[in-house]
Amino acid sequence: MSDKKKLSVWVFVRVFFRTLILQAVWNFKSLLSVGVSFALVPVAKHLCKDKQEQAKMLRRHLYFFNSQPYFASFALGAIARLEEERINGQIEGTEKIDAFKNALIGPLGAVGDLYFWGTIKPASILLGLTGALYFDALLGKLLSILAMLIVFNVPHLRIRAKGLWKGYQRGYEIYKSLKSEKFARIRFIYQLAGAFFMGMIISFLLVTTLQVDYIQSIVFVLGILMAAVFYKRKKGNYLTVISSVVLALIIGLI
Amino acid sequence: MELFLISLIGGLLVLDTTAVLQVLISQPLVSGALLGWLLGDVSLGLRLGILLQLLWLNQLPVGAAKVPEGNLGAVVAVILVFMVKDWIPIYPNILIVSVVLYAMIVSALGVKLVTTIRNQNIFFLDRAVKGLEAGDVAILGRMTFLALLFHFLFLVAAVFISVWIGWELFRFLLPKLPVHWEYVARYVEFAIMGSGVGLTLNFFKEKRIGLPILLGMIVGMVILVLL
């Protein structure tokens, strides 16, 4: 029993830092796989007795894989656990590990994209933008940007670290932690905050333009309405912005 | 020389978009302020960052989706404004229109650049596969850092070339514009902000989100009236 391999916290610290460049070799053939394999090098070095065995294990992780980059930590932690169990003889073969990794792609992408790209990122940026607009003093504006970076990166770095640890603790069971309901509360808070800041931005732009020239406010509102119409017709950002610019130029001619 | 150095910093900032960290320093609001500070006017850099920030916020980098490289466009736009501003100080409105449109062109071309980088990365993947099959574990580190270096060099070149072309274009075209166009372009900044807000509002389509937006508007108005 004493010769059983056990991954240490230090191994996960090294994996964590490697996840910060997880997408460095993102490619259209295997997507995130090189980053995953690169991040698992400390795990392979700890578990496998020689270079050949390490290379064999890491080679298996070069097949197709994708995930929201921060949420990939859940997969990395779980894979580390399963590889540890395989080396210790608790899992036979590698097929189950590979199949499990493939099965995680869907939930990791779906939950992670919605959580970070669809909620936390816009809400954090809207906070920074609100401060940058409302504060007159430069210091206030810069502190708002700092607040934006903190509000985004605390959950970001927490998920990277927690994902690794939770994945390692739960192994095959990690998929239970990847249900969208598990992240619903934080997501809801950020969603509300994002909407609130959006409202503050709208009122700032409306009031400040009204104070100068009411036509500025009309152009601003027309810009919003055009974006809504163009979005509904799936026209994309370029056409939306260019059309608003053209409209502003036409109004400017009057 | 100065353009080369600032392109290096621009390339480093844009690297944060996907390849390294992803801590939001590549967002126009942050990169605008940082570049503005380096180029001698934080407030101007920040103003441009605010203007450009909302234009691409609704574009989600989901899966293998190709989204406009707004961060690259914003970095180019900010550097370009700092190069041109003293040269054509009487055209602030025209400069804003030109630079935003130019940033959008750069962001669209940036998609091609990212596609090229991602195709190029297949080469590093293949080398990693071969190396590991030969028992070379260190190949993963070498290929990762080599890919990062290539990515960085591509971005530096993209920033440098885009700013240089923009500078030449602006220098040639802007003096030819009739002076009254400056007056015609006086509402464009507000139209761009309106578009950005409208595009970003698409994040908040759920019915339950209407109330916090309204609350934010009321609180915002109260703050503006009181202060």
Side-chain angles (χ1 to χ4, degrees):
Chain A
M1 287 298 279
S2 59
D3 60 347
K4 278 200 170 178
K5 300 269 188 180
K6 179 95 182 139
L7 291 167
S8 64
V9 174
W10 176 237
V11 170
F12 286 104
V13 171
R14 288 163 66 200
V15 173
F16 173 83
F17 282 109
R18 283 169 181 253
T19 64
L20 299 176
I21 49 171
L22 197 71
Q23 300 203 98
V25 200
W26 202 102
N27 62 81
F28 287 118
K29 195 169 164 185
S30 70
L31 280 66
L32 206 58
S33 75
V34 183
V36 167
S37 198
F38 173 69
L40 287 172
V41 169
V43 174
K45 284 188 172 173
H46 193 88
L47 294 177
C48 307
K49 57 183 184 296
D50 57 46
K51 292 250 178 198
Q52 283 301 330
E53 205 181 326
Q54 290 168 17
K56 211 172 157 187
M57 176 187 145
L58 294 168
R59 170 68 184 92
R60 277 195 292 109
H61 293 294
L62 276 184
Y63 292 108
F64 180 91
F65 182 75
N66 202 27
S67 161
Q68 198 279 346
Y70 312 159
F71 269 65
S73 290
F74 285 99
L76 288 167
I79 292 164
R81 166 71 175 267
L82 300 179
E83 292 290 356
E84 182 188 87
E85 289 180 356
R86 184 181 64 82
I87 294 290
N88 290 328
Q90 291 160 282
I91 295 176
E92 269 185 44
T94 57
E95 293 81 7
K96 271 187 176 176
I97 300 175
D98 298 338
F100 168 74
K101 199 174 80 174
N102 286 335
L104 281 180
I105 293 174
L108 286 171
V111 180
D113 287 337
L114 190 65
Y115 189 62
F116 272 104
W117 303 151
T119 311
I120 293 184
K121 183 182 162 191
S124 307
I125 290 174
L126 290 172
L127 161 71
L129 205 53
T130 304
L133 288 171
Y134 273 81
F135 282 107
D136 282 333
L138 185 61
L139 182 67
K141 290 175 190 286
L142 295 178
L143 285 174
S144 306
I145 294 175
L146 184 67
M148 159 188 134
L149 293 174
I150 292 169
V151 163
F152 178 79
N153 285 305
V154 167
H156 158 208
L157 296 171
R158 184 172 171 267
I159 280 289
R160 284 207 199 249
K162 185 185 163 190
L164 274 179
W165 193 241
K166 208 154 194 178
Y168 178 66
Q169 282 180 320
R170 305 197 74 174
Y172 278 129
E173 300 288 300
I174 193 59
Y175 72 92
K176 288 180 184 170
S177 303
L178 292 173
K179 290 178 179 160
S180 57
E181 305 91 72
K182 298 264 180 191
F183 302 92
R185 197 169 61 92
I186 302 269
R187 200 179 152 247
F188 184 59
I189 292 168
Y190 271 84
Q191 214 175 13
L192 288 185
F196 180 80
F197 294 129
M198 189 80 249
M200 284 188 78
I201 290 168
I202 293 171
S203 90
F204 178 89
L205 293 167
L206 268 178
V207 172
T208 50
T209 50
L210 266 175
Q211 284 168 346
V212 182
D213 177 358
Y214 74 95
I215 298 176
Q216 287 181 357
S217 311
I218 292 171
V219 171
F220 169 68
V221 173
L222 283 174
I224 296 178
L225 294 175
M226 280 183 79
V229 171
F230 277 64
Y231 179 82
K232 213 167 189 179
R233 295 184 177 184
K234 297 185 175 18
K235 294 293 182 191
N237 288 27
Y238 292 109
L239 198 61
T240 305
V241 178
I242 290 167
S243 307
S244 299
V245 169
V246 171
L247 181 76
L249 289 172
I250 292 169
I251 294 172
L253 277 170
I254 300 165
Chain B
M1 188 61 190
E2 196 185 336
L3 174 58
F4 177 70
L5 288 176
I6 205 73
S7 300
L8 283 177
I9 293 161
L12 270 180
L13 287 171
V14 181
L15 215 51
D16 170 74
T17 304
T18 49
V20 181
L21 296 176
Q22 291 191 294
V23 291
L24 295 194
I25 56 166
S26 54
Q27 290 299 313
L29 200 55
V30 186
S31 64
L34 278 171
L35 289 169
W37 173 64
L38 287 168
L39 294 167
D41 188 346
V42 187
S43 298
L44 178 61
L46 198 54
R47 188 183 160 199
L48 291 162
I50 291 170
L51 185 65
L52 294 162
Q53 181 62 70
L54 293 179
L55 295 187
W56 295 282
L57 189 56
N58 70 327
Q59 299 284 325
L60 304 180
V62 174
K66 292 175 183 176
V67 294
E69 286 298 301
N71 297 341
L72 175 66
V75 162
V76 169
V78 173
I79 298 173
L80 201 51
V81 166
F82 274 90
M83 284 179 74
V84 179
K85 75 180 171 76
D86 296 327
W87 192 67
I88 43 166
I90 54 164
Y91 292 131
N93 294 326
I94 286 179
L95 187 56
I96 283 172
V97 186
S98 318
V99 102
V100 168
L101 293 179
Y102 191 68
M104 292 182 77
I105 294 168
V106 172
S107 77
L109 292 174
V111 180
K112 302 275 178 201
L113 178 79
V114 169
T115 306
T116 307
I117 291 168
R118 289 177 169 183
N119 280 322
Q120 168 71 30
N121 283 345
I122 294 174
F123 166 80
F124 297 113
L125 164 72
D126 292 340
R127 290 293 296 267
V129 169
K130 278 183 189 162
L132 284 178
E133 282 171 353
D136 179 11
V137 174
I139 190 89
L140 280 169
R142 287 203 301 277
M143 290 305 111
T144 299
F145 287 105
L146 211 55
L148 268 183
L149 180 67
F150 267 90
H151 195 150
F152 173 61
L153 292 176
F154 268 113
L155 290 175
V156 172
V159 173
F160 185 90
I161 294 167
S162 305
V163 173
W164 182 71
I165 292 173
W167 161 248
E168 292 296 334
L169 264 176
F170 282 27
R171 209 162 58 143
F172 176 72
L173 292 176
L174 292 186
K176 294 190 174 10
L177 291 176
V179 180
H180 76 274
W181 277 44
E182 174 62 16
Y183 180 73
V184 173
R186 67 195 183 280
Y187 297 126
V188 169
E189 190 174 353
F190 310 101
I192 293 168
M193 289 302 291
S195 300
V197 168
L199 289 166
T200 310
L201 272 171
N202 292 311
F203 277 116
F204 307 105
K205 282 180 293 187
E206 290 174 45
K207 273 187 182 167
R208 62 180 183 175
I209 296 302
L211 192 63
I213 292 181
L214 196 65
L215 192 66
M217 286 178 75
I218 294 166
V219 170
M221 279 185 195
V222 170
I223 290 171
L224 290 166
V225 169
L226 290 179
L227 304 176

